[in-house]
Amino acid sequence: MKIQTIRGSIDPKTLGFCHSHDHIMVAKGKPAEVDPALCMDDYDKSLEELRLFKRVGGSAIVDCQPVGAGRMSAELAKLSEQSGIHVVSATGFHKMALYYGDSWVFSFGESELEELFVHELTQGMYTNTETGSPTNYESHKAGVIKVAYDIVGLTPQYKKLFSAAAKAQIKTNAPMIIHIDNGSNPVVLDEFLTQAGVDPTKRIYCHLDRAVEELSTHIELCKRGSYVEYDTIYRQKYHTDMAELEIIQRMLDAGFNDKILLGLDSTRTRFKSYGGEPGLGYIKEGFLPLLEQGGISASVSNKFMVENPSVAFAF
């Protein structure tokens, strides 16, 4: 078993304190046109933020910006080297609203998409991916398949993409990290992925803490073997950190301490180096102490940040 970082494979035991869903750099392009907060293209500022993360005890970040949606893989590799932070990069796809109309994400067939995802996991990540067909690639490899479940559901376009991602997952055994849109039903997608043959222990459902209010759905997905990744932390427009604590406590009461992962899902408005709040140090310095005050011990929090990621992202 290994965890495939952007600078090479590592022993899972060396991953350390890990944000399981975050974004370090995102290029100008369609995502930034949809929301300017999705542009984080200042190398020095992103490096400053990673060094802040390192100072508070951070060790690893799963960067969930997929191919063709502003991913900056060469910069991520350089940032990882300069900061000393392990970075796991993503292949796969995001919501269709974050791609230009002439993107390969629309024109490629299922087999072409599968081949692209497998190539990025096994040979190297493509660099010319915003428009047209990807051709140039570098030696740095992706270590996770990012997919996005839009509120529109499993349209023919999304079925094509999810089928290709499922085949790539089966071929490589890579973990699949799944964006869940607010108001969507992840159980429908989970059943689709089950029928496609994706190992449930390789599925990581993100944003359920703000996207799906019913905790019974979180519990059902964990019962099936999947992980839940929570990142509605320091996000007052959704709920308070005390409400987040309550969600986590209820999941612990249900017996799923080994299925919870945490991250910040950062944008430029959440990085101190870009003038935002709370910064990459917040989980370590602010949120985990709050959990401890609420009765969740440091040893349990260590599962969320160290032990569980070392298993979830290994393949």
Side-chain angles (χ1 to χ4, degrees), residues 48-310:
E48 179 184 342
E49 196 73 26
L50 285 181
R51 286 175 169 164
L52 179 157
F53 184 58
K54 182 80 169 180
R55 287 196 298 272
V56 302
S59 178
I61 287 176
V62 180
D63 185 283
C64 289
Q65 202 68 21
V67 54
R71 185 186 68 192
M72 302 177 71
S73 54
E75 289 82 357
L76 290 177
K78 186 178 177 183
L79 284 168
S80 175
E81 182 174 0
Q82 284 199 270
S83 66
I85 296 296
H86 297 304
V87 174
V88 177
S89 190
T91 188
F93 62 91
H94 215 310
K95 295 195 297 182
M96 297 302 95
L98 301 184
Y99 294 90
Y100 291 113
D102 60 350
S103 169
W104 51 268
V105 81
F106 299 108
S107 61
F108 272 18
E110 184 179 314
S111 61
E112 292 173 296
L113 290 164
E114 176 193 350
E115 182 180 350
L116 187 156
F117 301 153
V118 171
H119 187 286
E120 293 212 310
L121 289 159
T122 61
Q123 298 183 58
M125 290 186 284
Y126 289 100
T127 55
N128 59 325
T129 59
E130 301 305 304
T131 59
S133 297
T135 53
N136 302 328
Y137 68 93
E138 57 189 6
S139 60
H140 305 298
K141 299 173 186 175
V144 66
I145 304 169
K146 161 73 176 283
V147 295
Y149 189 49
D150 202 332
I151 194 168
V152 299
L154 290 171
T155 63
Q157 169 68 4
Y158 278 110
K159 281 186 178 180
K160 176 186 73 172
L161 286 159
F162 276 110
S163 293
K167 289 179 178 178
Q169 192 286 317
I170 293 165
K171 187 170 288 186
T172 62
N173 201 35
M176 178 181 285
I177 194 159
I178 307 164
H179 166 101
I180 296 297
D181 234 19
N182 290 12
S184 62
N185 185 353
V187 174
V188 173
L189 176 61
D190 196 70
E191 291 171 352
F192 180 90
L193 294 174
T194 296
Q195 292 176 6
V198 177
D199 181 347
T201 67
K202 293 298 181 183
R203 304 174 205 166
I204 302 163
Y205 286 91
C206 302
H207 321 316
L208 295 183
D209 46 341
R210 66 176 181 267
V212 180
E213 185 175 347
E214 299 80 11
L215 265 292
S216 59
T217 300
H218 305 211
I219 290 170
E220 175 62 25
L221 293 170
C222 290
K223 282 182 177 178
R224 297 182 182 197
S226 298
Y227 292 86
V228 292
E229 184 276 327
Y230 293 148
D231 46 48
T232 310
I233 298 167
Y234 202 89
R235 287 178 181 267
Q236 301 299 323
K237 70 176 183 178
Y238 294 109
H239 59 229
T240 66
D241 281 357
M242 289 302 295
E244 187 82 350
L245 164 62
E246 182 180 349
I247 291 171
I248 293 172
Q249 185 61 68
R250 288 174 65 188
M251 292 299 289
L252 293 176
D253 292 343
F256 296 112
N257 64 349
D258 60 343
K259 289 296 183 180
I260 297 172
L261 307 167
L262 298 182
L264 280 178
D265 189 21
S266 297
T267 63
R268 71 182 297 126
T269 60
R270 286 167 66 76
F271 271 6
K272 285 187 174 181
S273 60
Y274 284 84
E277 291 289 344
L280 278 179
Y282 181 73
I283 289 181
K284 183 78 169 182
E285 293 191 313
F287 189 64
L288 294 188
L290 177 67
L291 295 188
E292 192 160 6
Q293 291 170 18
I296 297 175
S297 69
S299 63
V300 173
S301 294
N302 190 66
K303 291 184 71 68
F304 308 156
M305 306 308 304
V306 179
E307 295 177 34
N308 295 348
S310 73

